[in-house]
Amino acid sequence: TEARKEIFKIHLAKTPLGIDVMLQDLSERTEMFSGAEISAFCREAALAALQEDIESCEVRRRHFDSAFMAVKPRTSRELLELYKRYQ
């Protein structure tokens, strides 16, 4: 969870977030996501905000919620377990 939270911090550093966005919550909800998938997830949420309002000034939780519909984790639980054993 902490590693994913740090990945979110990196990818969202220049993105204005709504007060309803909690990085801890996002990191917990993206357990099976790789770093690349988190990156795509963040971009998708930003696009959702712009599609809603081209002059949008922030990305809100609802935009991340819609990003879950577009970005799905591709790494299997078995492969994650294999990675953990070799760390």
Side-chain angles (χ1 to χ4, degrees):
T1 302
E2 285 304 311
R4 283 189 306 281
K5 188 175 177 180
E6 292 302 315
I7 293 169
F8 274 110
K9 284 181 183 178
I10 291 167
H11 288 290
L12 296 173
K14 295 181 181 180
T15 304
L17 301 174
I19 60 170
D20 59 347
V21 176
M22 302 294 179
L23 295 184
Q24 182 67 33
D25 177 57
L26 290 175
S27 67
E28 290 170 1
R29 294 172 64 197
T30 54
E31 181 181 354
M32 299 290 293
F33 283 57
S34 68
E37 290 161 344
I38 290 173
S39 175
F41 177 72
C42 292
R43 284 193 309 273
E44 191 66 33
L47 286 172
L50 292 174
Q51 287 173 339
E52 181 180 283
D53 178 1
I54 193 67
E55 295 181 18
S56 180
C57 295
E58 63 185 9
V59 180
R60 307 286 307 265
R61 181 185 170 106
R62 67 178 175 271
H63 303 125
F64 285 100
D65 290 343
S66 71
F68 275 112
M69 304 300 285
V71 181
K72 304 286 184 195
R74 293 183 173 195
T75 308
S76 69
R77 191 168 297 281
E78 293 80 21
L79 189 55
L80 288 175
E81 289 302 319
L82 179 67
Y83 291 153
K84 283 182 185 178
R85 283 197 301 265
Y86 285 100
Q87 285 186 356

